[in-house]
Amino acid sequence: MANFNDRTTMGGANSTFQTTCWAKIFDAKTSDETRKRLIINGLIDRYWKPVYCYLRRKGYNNNSAKDLTQGFFCEIVLGRELIQRADRGKALFRTFLLTALDRYVIDMHRRETANKRSPTGKILQLDNINLPEVPRAASDLTPEQGFHYAWVSDLLDQILSEVKDEYFSLGKGVYWEVFYARCVAPIMANTKPPSLTEICAKYGIEERTKASNIIATVKRRLGSVFARSLQRYVPPNSDVEQELSELLRNLPGKGAR
Amino acid sequence: MNQIDKKSTTFGLSPDKLADLLNICSESTQSEDKNKVDITQKKAELLQDRLAETLPFELSKKSLSKEVLDRLSQIRALVIGEPIRNLLNNPETGIGLIKQIKDYSKKLSRYASSEAEHDTANAIYYAAIASALVFHDRKISKYSYKSLHHSFSKLINEEWIPKEIAQMFVRTRELCQQKIRYK
């Protein structure tokens, strides 16, 4: 079993008992076919959308991008055992995957094959998935930026959903609603954030200080869940701050600093 | 876990707005006003973190013999990457795996360095016992049903326990009550 760098202090706040993406990848180097397939399917589930968005930004139409996505995962990820060749000490898995994808696209273009790149025994049933259109807001992105855009969007959706569920499961849905109204909704809807006075009136909170504390509490929790989620995708001995800088750098505009 | 509905997905936002959201997520705890994290909140958050974790592979290997591991390998293959929360709430989770979760929580408790760490480990310990009783009608604890009834009654009232676990505790308490009655 991999002796991956588990920086765990038993029961400590920075416990990394959770299985990192890299640990899963290493575990995919197993002769147990059932386990390998399950792990790889999990990774494909996480990365198919960024791959598809990358291809759309490359200029492929919906059907071609779909075929190439399926072809990439089947021929390269599974067929050439890409995951097993990944070196977790060297780079982010995302970077590694993107490099392989880039090469695959170049190779496909070179071959100029007319055959439908839809392998038998599809491992990815994209036919039944409502494939996303690359949004207008992201239409100027390079293919690499498109890949990162889709990846970041999925990550944000996941952690926002997770924190929302947490607060509702604790009977504190109003905490989430207050935070969302003040911090997230204005970004999503491109509107001015409501004032604390307006928040208090809408959600029946006695005073502005309390509303402010609620917002800070949820923000802190979001940060903690975000850090935990991101930790899964960095190689050992890298830190989350570095990964965050990398994510921001790959988003054009304000993000690229 | 519920998915954010289509309206509120971030896919479709401009990259600038995505960056704004990323920055909110990554901000340090600069509160807009002074904010003290109370112990109940700490426990709630720590428990959520623990339940979102997966069972450590090393731990599960050390606690089981090779024979048992081989037999369980098929089950392990199915649950790799599954958060503890999902394992506890799934009737398909085998009793062997539930016992591993119980052992894991005991280890967490042994190394706990705060009240929050100790109490959340305790909650997972009892969640494992509850899961075994509710889904397998098996008592994996040496405590009597009467003692378990008492423990679950206390835990049900803790506001830092998430709803789905609290509901399982309620069901378990009822089962313990039945076992006491029909003894």
Side-chain angles (χ1 to χ4, degrees):
Chain A
M1 188 66 210
N3 186 20
F4 62 87
N5 185 14
D6 181 355
R7 285 165 285 164
T8 301
T9 303
M10 282 283 209
N14 292 322
S15 162
T16 54
F17 278 128
Q18 62 189 318
T19 307
T20 65
C21 180
W22 272 114
K24 281 186 190 170
I25 289 164
F26 192 88
D27 201 49
K29 299 179 187 183
T30 171
S31 55
D32 182 330
E33 285 304 317
T34 307
R35 198 201 306 189
K36 192 197 300 187
R37 181 155 278 270
L38 281 164
I39 291 167
I40 290 172
N41 282 349
L43 290 168
I44 288 170
D45 191 50
R46 184 69 188 88
Y47 288 99
W48 76 261
K49 196 167 163 189
V51 167
Y52 170 79
C53 286
Y54 169 92
L55 292 165
R56 288 304 305 273
R57 290 308 306 130
K58 264 287 200 206
Y60 294 98
N61 64 27
N62 185 33
N63 284 333
S64 298
K66 191 169 69 173
D67 288 346
L68 279 168
T69 302
Q70 288 176 150
F72 172 69
F73 281 110
C74 190
E75 291 175 41
I76 307 300
V77 175
L78 279 181
R80 293 192 206 164
E81 299 197 324
L82 182 77
I83 288 170
Q84 285 83 331
R85 289 190 280 118
D87 183 342
R88 66 188 175 90
K90 284 204 173 148
L92 297 166
F93 180 70
R94 205 164 62 247
T95 308
F96 176 77
L97 194 77
L98 197 50
T99 304
L101 177 60
D102 208 30
R103 283 189 194 138
Y104 175 70
V105 170
I106 291 168
D107 194 41
M108 283 294 113
H109 185 72
R110 206 178 286 141
R111 282 195 236 164
E112 289 178 346
T113 177
N115 296 327
K116 187 167 160 63
R117 285 175 290 270
S118 191
T120 54
K122 278 188 226 179
I123 50 152
L124 202 55
Q125 300 297 326
L126 291 184
D127 295 324
N128 299 325
I129 293 176
N130 198 15
L131 294 169
E133 280 300 319
V134 178
R136 202 178 310 156
S139 56
D140 291 336
L141 300 182
T142 65
E144 290 76 14
Q145 286 169 340
F147 179 95
H148 290 292
Y149 174 94
W151 198 90
V152 168
S153 168
D154 268 359
L155 179 72
L156 284 169
D157 282 351
Q158 178 204 312
I159 61 174
L160 288 170
S161 178
E162 187 176 327
V163 175
K164 177 186 175 185
D165 285 349
E166 274 187 19
Y167 276 96
F168 275 92
S169 81
L170 288 166
K172 288 183 176 174
V174 72
Y175 276 46
W176 173 259
E177 303 275 357
V178 164
F179 166 78
Y180 190 88
R182 172 81 169 176
C183 299
V184 180
I187 294 174
M188 304 282 277
N190 203 27
T191 54
K192 196 174 139 223
S195 66
L196 288 178
T197 306
E198 285 167 335
I199 293 268
C200 287
K202 183 171 182 185
Y203 296 99
I205 297 166
E206 308 90 62
E207 50 181 27
R208 290 156 44 93
T209 313
K210 182 162 183 191
S212 177
N213 284 343
I214 288 173
I215 290 162
T217 297
V218 179
K219 203 184 273 190
R220 186 179 48 75
R221 180 58 185 156
L222 191 68
S224 171
V225 171
F226 174 73
R228 190 228 298 147
S229 298
L230 213 54
Q231 192 66 58
R232 293 189 186 132
Y233 297 99
V234 301
N237 301 319
S238 296
D239 68 31
V240 168
E241 285 298 322
Q242 245 181 301
E243 170 64 355
L244 173 65
S245 301
E246 179 71 18
L247 288 177
L248 286 168
R249 202 171 53 77
N250 281 302
L251 287 174
K254 250 197 270 186
R257 289 181 194 146
Chain B
M1 186 191 300
N2 296 327
Q3 294 296 320
I4 288 184
D5 62 36
K6 237 182 171 169
K7 256 201 229 169
S8 55
T9 177
T10 59
F11 195 77
L13 295 179
S14 69
D16 273 355
K17 301 232 176 279
L18 230 52
D20 285 343
L21 285 174
L22 265 183
N23 283 318
I24 288 177
C25 292
S26 64
E27 267 170 26
S28 60
T29 57
Q30 299 279 346
S31 51
E32 294 180 7
D33 207 313
K34 273 206 177 145
N35 176 40
K36 288 178 185 159
V37 181
D38 69 10
I39 185 73
T40 305
Q41 206 171 296
K42 260 193 200 160
K43 289 183 191 179
E45 291 175 5
L46 186 56
L47 183 57
Q48 293 284 4
D49 284 340
R50 293 271 180 255
L51 290 171
E53 288 171 2
T54 54
L55 208 56
F57 295 136
E58 279 81 7
L59 185 69
S60 58
K61 275 197 161 184
K62 281 176 190 163
S63 63
L64 298 174
S65 67
K66 189 188 181 301
E67 241 178 352
V68 176
L69 262 180
D70 287 345
R71 270 192 276 127
L72 287 178
S73 65
Q74 199 61 32
I75 297 168
R76 283 190 67 229
L78 291 171
V79 300
I80 280 168
E82 279 295 305
I84 289 173
R85 167 193 286 113
N86 292 3
L87 296 176
L88 289 171
N89 280 305
N90 187 353
E92 307 281 318
T93 306
I95 200 77
L97 204 47
I98 296 174
K99 283 181 181 172
Q100 286 186 60
I101 295 172
K102 184 166 87 74
D103 289 342
Y104 170 58
S105 68
K106 277 164 74 173
K107 205 158 184 173
L108 280 178
S109 180
R110 206 176 304 139
Y111 289 97
S113 56
S114 69
E115 181 190 330
E117 287 174 12
H118 178 267
D119 286 1
T120 51
N122 205 43
I124 295 174
Y125 173 82
Y126 280 100
I129 294 172
S131 184
L133 269 171
V134 167
F135 297 124
H136 299 277
D137 197 24
R138 288 264 303 265
K139 185 159 77 74
I140 58 171
S141 163
K142 292 189 176 122
Y143 294 124
S144 66
Y145 283 114
K146 189 174 176 187
S147 171
L148 287 174
H149 183 275
H150 176 74
S151 299
F152 284 117
S153 297
K154 278 178 68 180
L155 284 165
I156 283 161
N157 292 320
E158 297 286 2
E159 52 183 282
W160 47 271
I161 304 257
K163 210 184 289 178
E164 81 269 15
I165 301 289
Q167 282 167 355
M168 194 163 60
F169 285 170
V170 167
R171 178 77 190 115
T172 311
R173 185 178 62 175
E174 286 166 8
L175 287 171
C176 290
Q177 184 64 46
Q178 286 169 21
K179 303 282 187 190
I180 296 166
R181 201 179 295 142
Y182 293 112
K183 213 173 172 188

